[in-house]
Structure formats: C-alpha cells, structure tokens
Amino acid sequence: GDSVTQTEGQVTVSESKSLIINCTYSTTSIAYPNLFWYVRYPGEGLQLLLKVITAGQKGSSRGFEATYNKETTSFHLQKASVQESDSAVYYCALGLGGSNYKLTFGKGTLLTVTP
Amino acid sequence: GPKVLQIPSHQIIDMGQMVTLNCDPVSNHLYFYWYKQILGQQMEFLVNFYNGKVMEKSKLFKDQFSVERPDGSYFTLKIQPTALEDSAVYFCASSLAWTGGSQNTLYFGAGTRLSVL
C-alpha cells in the first residue's frame, strides 16, 4: 500500500529561525505521485499550502518551499525564517495520478513558533 | 479563501444510536468527500460523492455508513448504528472538479469530533 511518513509530534522553532519538516513517501502504484503540503491553523480546516506533480520541481507558497525528489522519495518542507503566525499543524500528503481526491496523509507535525 | 463548514464541531452519542454529521461545502463545488482520523493516526479517505452517487469508497466505509446531499443542501454522513470504533474526527472536503490543474484541489472543513460512548 501507500504511506507517508513525516516528522512526528511537535517542532518548536524560535521566530526568524529556519524550519525543516521531513516527509518521505512510499507507494506500490505505477501511477505518478503528486505531493502536497496542507496546513491547519487552530480552529480552521486544512488548507492547501503547496503541491508539486512533477519530479524534480519545487513548490513554494508563503515563504515555504518543498522539492519533489523522486530518488529519495522525499518532499521536505522548508522555510528560511519562520514567524509566529506560522504556528499550525502541517500535513504531508500523497496523491496518485488522477486520484488526487484519495490522499494518503502523514500524521501531521505541530509547529510552534516562539517569540 | 473558500470555506467548508462542519456542524457541530463535537458530537457525543451513545453506542447503537444514529448520528448525522453535516457539511456545508464550498458553494460551487461538485465533488464531495469524507475522511476519518482516529486519534493519533493519519487522516484516511472514506468516500467520494458526485451527482447524487457514491463514486468510490474505502474499506473503512462500513455498511452502517451512508452519504447524501439532498436538494443541494448539506452533504451528510450518517452512521446507523454507531459503534465504539466510530469514535474519530470526520473531515468533510469538496472540490470543483475531478481532475486537472487547480480545480481538483480539495478544501477541507475543520472536522467534527465524534465520541461514541
């Protein structure tokens, strides 16, 4: 089956410091992987942060970046300088081919940015 | 951005009773979904729904589950009867399209926490 593994639990980063949340995926499907990062702010629904559907390409949004690395099957989320407003739960997700409605999610990483 | 609303945010129910979870999807969206997240686990796909029909369901979508969207109103997930293992957070999502570009982006609600006692 398919699976997504991301940095577990909680990550605490001081404001203006850099961030990396690791994500790796595994699939037995022959369909091409599409990779996503979703974010959930307190009390809100998941929002798509960024997505990449082509291996080797980088997605970016709100200062966050992630590169789809087919060789290492990874899609790590990075930001050079975090802000308190980035505090949220981040989810890495895998979609396959045209079936992007049936996402396989990681367990989520709670990011807390301290002043 | 577009909002998916889920009502209520938390529901407590006795095992064996029926429960209906309500979802108000993005107004012009055509495709609807439910996901389930057990505490400490990943969100998992349950079902997707289009034009009044279930298009695909996972093995988690038990016979006790049903979905509908009568008259274009709320998209609902009904569980009858409920079991202890149905305790989870249920997330509704909607999208404008099935595939292609940005139109198949899923927009999720904040979830309804269901506690079956």
Side-chain angles (χ1 to χ4, degrees):
Chain A
D2 306 321
S3 66
V4 172
T5 303
Q6 64 180 97
T7 302
E8 285 207 12
Q10 183 171 336
V11 171
T12 302
V13 180
S14 299
E15 196 168 28
S16 80
K17 298 297 185 185
S18 65
L19 166 74
I20 182 166
I21 299 176
N22 291 324
C23 173
T24 56
Y25 68 90
S26 171
T27 178
T28 55
S29 172
I30 61 171
Y32 57 91
N34 294 177
L35 295 164
F36 304 79
W37 278 101
Y38 276 84
V39 57
R40 179 152 56 102
Y41 298 101
E44 298 188 14
L46 274 74
Q47 302 174 23
L48 179 64
L49 180 60
L50 54 88
K51 79 173 187 182
V52 177
I53 64 172
T54 304
Q57 291 202 345
K58 179 168 67 178
S60 59
S61 173
R62 308 181 210 175
F64 289 90
E65 297 180 338
T67 300
Y68 173 178
N69 188 319
K70 188 178 177 183
E71 285 69 38
T72 58
T73 63
S74 65
F75 191 56
H76 306 320
L77 183 68
Q78 302 183 72
K79 189 171 187 182
S81 176
V82 297
Q83 304 169 353
E84 272 194 87
S85 57
D86 294 326
S87 295
V89 183
Y90 292 81
Y91 294 89
C92 185
L94 166 71
L96 292 171
S99 302
N100 281 334
Y101 58 88
K102 200 164 63 174
L103 297 171
T104 299
F105 282 90
K107 290 186 178 181
T109 304
L110 173 60
L111 170 65
T112 301
V113 179
T114 57
Chain B
K3 297 278 189 190
V4 174
L5 301 176
Q6 290 190 243
I7 305 160
S9 59
H10 189 188
Q11 188 146 3
I12 302 171
I13 198 159
D14 290 325
M15 183 177 63
Q17 288 193 315
M18 181 193 76
V19 67
T20 300
L21 307 183
N22 294 307
C23 170
D24 187 9
V26 178
S27 61
N28 61 337
H29 283 187
L30 301 174
Y31 296 85
F32 311 104
Y33 315 86
W34 284 102
Y35 278 72
K36 176 182 179 180
Q37 184 176 27
I38 295 172
L39 186 64
Q41 310 275 342
Q42 294 95 322
M43 287 173 61
E44 293 187 89
F45 169 80
L46 276 180
V47 65
N48 71 316
F49 186 86
Y50 168 72
N51 198 27
K53 297 175 188 173
V54 169
M55 297 187 70
E56 184 175 351
K57 55 187 180 181
S58 73
K59 61 182 186 300
L60 298 179
F61 194 79
K62 304 185 301 183
D63 290 344
Q64 296 89 333
F65 289 19
S66 63
V67 291
E68 64 176 355
R69 191 180 187 221
D71 302 323
S73 59
Y74 285 149
F75 175 51
T76 62
L77 173 65
K78 183 187 293 185
I79 307 175
Q80 180 177 27
T82 50
L84 294 177
E85 61 265 26
D86 297 330
S87 294
V89 180
Y90 291 85
F91 292 93
C92 173
S94 68
S95 67
L96 180 60
W98 175 262
T99 60
S102 61
Q103 293 187 325
N104 64 350
T105 296
L106 267 63
Y107 292 83
F108 287 86
T112 293
R113 179 176 299 280
L114 176 65
S115 299
V116 181
L117 307 179

